[in-house]
Amino acid sequence: MNFLSRVIVNACAIWVAAWILPGVTITGNRVVEEQAGTIPAMIISYLVIGLIFGLANAFIKPILSFVSAPITCLTLGLFSIVINAIMLALTSWLSGFTPFEFTIDSFFFSAIFAAIIVSIVSALLGWLVPERSADHDRG
């Protein structure tokens, strides 16, 4: 899956988490909302947050997963949920530097359940988005 489709999948997964959980919210930019309208502004907000989440997963998560590999093995992989929650919390912190703000109320309720929801929705949407094969790209 290319990076753009991964950003769209992340945006959809974060939208589902924000829709289900009351402690997860995204606040859009008022200037974008005035220029484009409410719905396009929210779509842009979710895409920007999906981009930040994708970049955090691409650069920070492999390092964090490598460092926490022993505890992940001891918990039979359940610690990966905590790692995903940390990635969401990092995304929330990084979004504070942008006009589009992603907030998580509490780590132990909102972030953990949001990580579970984002993982499930990303897996489901990942199955729907076709993989690009190397043979198809050559031909």
Side-chain angles (χ1 to χ4, degrees):
M1 200 176 343
N2 63 8
F3 189 73
L4 182 62
S5 61
R6 177 54 55 191
V7 168
I8 293 170
V9 166
N10 285 338
C12 292
I14 291 172
W15 173 74
V16 170
W19 179 58
I20 292 174
L21 297 172
V24 178
T25 57
I26 290 185
T27 307
N29 189 349
R30 290 189 187 261
V31 175
V32 175
E33 189 173 326
E34 290 171 1
Q35 296 294 323
T38 305
I39 294 175
M42 287 309 294
I43 291 172
I44 292 169
S45 300
Y46 281 103
L47 287 174
V48 168
I49 298 303
L51 174 69
I52 295 170
F53 185 64
L55 290 173
N57 278 336
F59 293 110
I60 309 279
K61 188 175 180 179
I63 297 167
L64 190 61
S65 296
F66 178 75
V67 170
S68 65
I71 194 165
T72 303
C73 289
L74 285 175
T75 60
L76 302 174
L78 288 177
F79 194 71
S80 62
I81 295 171
V82 175
I83 293 172
N84 288 338
I86 291 170
M87 290 296 101
L88 284 171
L90 178 66
T91 302
S92 174
W93 178 73
L94 288 173
S95 73
F97 299 105
T98 68
F100 309 100
E101 191 150 358
F102 174 57
T103 56
I104 298 176
D105 287 348
S106 65
F107 183 80
F108 288 109
F109 177 75
S110 297
I112 296 290
F113 285 121
I116 293 169
I117 292 169
V118 166
S119 297
I120 291 170
V121 172
S122 293
L124 291 175
L125 290 177
W127 286 336
L128 295 176
V129 176
E131 280 289 325
R132 295 177 63 190
S133 65
D135 295 333
H136 185 266
D137 291 338
R138 285 189 224 145

